Amino acid sequence: MTSKHLLPTILLMCVCVSSRAELVKVFENIRGTVVYAESSSVSKNGDLRRVIEIQSYREPGPRGMLSMKLLKEYNCTKETSQIISYSMYTERMAKGSLIGQVNTPSPVDKLTQNPGGAGGWRYACGK
């Protein structure tokens, strides 16, 4: 590759890398579950925050599931969370084959009932 083509190639690589969503680790437990929030996905509507989270597991779950990608909604003042929808994958970090999807929202839970959700709530709500 000539130096004439090198600079445009490097610039294109930088643009591609910077356009990816940044994943921020918001939770990890002793069983090897790690939860990341996609920083570019946080949306605000009053006290509500929606964010895409990726849960990655050490050991496979049902049907070989090693990760999930979830759309979650947090209420910053009521300290609640709700899964709006999620998809399950055969590899970590929401990669591999799609095992299934659920588009039915879960019940709203207090964060005290789901301590793992507190990390996402703190991130999305800026606490």
Side-chain angles (χ1 to χ4, degrees), residues 23-28 33-37 119 123:
L23 296 177
V24 178
K25 185 193 291 188
V26 295
F27 176 77
E28 183 172 8
T33 299
V34 183
V35 179
Y36 301 89
Y123 179 76

Side-chain angles (χ1 to χ4, degrees), residues 54-73:
I54 295 176
Q55 295 182 358
S56 210
Y57 310 109
R58 182 184 300 154
E59 300 295 325
R63 299 188 300 175
M65 179 182 71
L66 276 171
S67 65
M68 293 174 51
K69 189 171 191 175
L70 307 96
L71 174 59
K72 291 186 79 175
E73 184 172 81

Side-chain angles (χ1 to χ4, degrees), residues 17-105:
V17 170
S18 66
S19 67
R20 289 184 39 144
E22 181 183 352
L23 296 177
V24 178
K25 185 193 291 188
V26 295
F27 176 77
E28 183 172 8
N29 68 20
I30 60 172
R31 292 180 305 248
T33 299
V34 183
V35 179
Y36 301 89
E38 284 188 5
S39 61
S40 63
S41 72
V42 178
S43 65
K44 301 175 182 182
N45 182 10
D47 291 336
L48 301 177
R49 304 289 184 273
R50 282 195 174 186
V51 63
I52 293 173
E53 294 181 3
I54 295 176
Q55 295 182 358
S56 210
Y57 310 109
R58 182 184 300 154
E59 300 295 325
R63 299 188 300 175
M65 179 182 71
L66 276 171
S67 65
M68 293 174 51
K69 189 171 191 175
L70 307 96
L71 174 59
K72 291 186 79 175
E73 184 172 81
Y74 294 101
N75 186 306
C76 296
T77 56
K78 293 182 180 177
E79 298 185 16
T80 60
S81 68
Q82 180 180 28
I83 298 171
I84 304 302
S85 62
Y86 63 94
S87 351
M88 301 159 280
Y89 297 88
T90 56
E91 294 180 22
R92 290 180 181 90
M93 303 305 291
K95 300 205 185 292
S97 299
L98 178 67
I99 297 172
Q101 292 181 294
V102 174
N103 294 310
T104 305

Side-chain angles (χ1 to χ4, degrees), residues 104-117:
T104 305
S106 71
V108 175
D109 288 328
K110 292 291 285 178
L111 293 176
T112 53
Q113 295 172 321
N114 178 14

Side-chain angles (χ1 to χ4, degrees), residues 3 12-13 21 43 79 118:
S3 60
L12 181 60
M13 288 172 52
S43 65
E79 298 185 16

